[in-house]
Each structure stands twice: as structure tokens, then as C-alpha cells.
Amino acid sequence: MTRPHLLFVYNADGGPLNALKDLWHKTVSPATYDCQLCAVTYGPLGMRREWRDFVRTLPASVTFLHRDELAAQHGVQGVPLPAAFVLDGAQVCPWLSAAQIREARTLDDLMSLVRASLLTTGPTAGPTLQPDAAARPA
């Protein structure tokens, strides 16, 4: 049996300039920052060690993507983010919704959500998201 593959997708674009902009936004106005996944898993110096260690213990392969990378690599756009998905072959299937992740106000809340979701539903492939043909790489 192969390990499931989880995709955690930030509600932010990738790249060094975007990372600086996000760090500034989280610092100056955390209440208006749009990515709860970023807010609880990253500090000023990078990914929080506790989260990194937690992810390594999960019974799944884990990839982190930014919203622009989700669109470029999997053709998925217009999905509320941040969110987590199961990658089943080329299919991207919802696993943790943006609403669920936004409710995780602390890192402990997020880790509890992931643990509970693994126990109750597991990272199983469900309905797939339809790729946006315009976003698919050629």
C-alpha cells in the first residue's frame, strides 16, 4: 500500500518578494492577513520547528505549495485557500477546507485538526477538483 500524498496550499503566491510582503503584512496587520496556514506555521525566521517535526511524523508524504504553484502544477484555481488536498495520481481531491484551517487559530489547533482528520476520514481520495485548462502547463 502506498502512502497518501497530502498537499497543503497557502493562500499566498510563492517567491522571495511575495515572502517579504507576507512577512511584513503578518507583522504589521496580522488580523487582516489572508493565510491562516502561513500565520500559524511560519515565524519570522521560517517554518516553525514544531510544525516541521509534526509533518515528518504524518503517515503520508507532504508537499507545501503556494496558490500560484497549485495552479501551475495541477491546473486548480478558484478554490478557497488555504486548504489541504490529497493528491491521487494526477487528481487533486479536497481534504481540509479553507474554513476548517481558518478556524485553527494556533499551531496546536492546526495540529489537532490534522490529527483528528487523519483519524476520522484519513487522507483518502474523494471528489476531484477539475483543473482549469488555462492554468495547466503546456
Side-chain angles (χ1 to χ4, degrees), residues 56-108:
R56 287 180 181 148
T57 69
L58 294 176
S61 300
V62 178
T63 301
F64 294 94
L65 295 176
H66 295 90
R67 66 178 162 227
D68 58 329
E69 296 164 333
L70 179 66
Q73 294 177 26
H74 299 286
V76 175
Q77 293 187 121
V79 177
L81 297 172
F85 305 90
V86 175
L87 185 58
D88 184 24
Q91 302 294 322
V92 177
C93 309
W95 183 52
L96 297 176
S97 71
Q100 289 173 295
I101 291 176
R102 285 186 193 123
E103 288 178 14
R105 304 310 299 168
T106 67
L107 184 55
D108 285 337

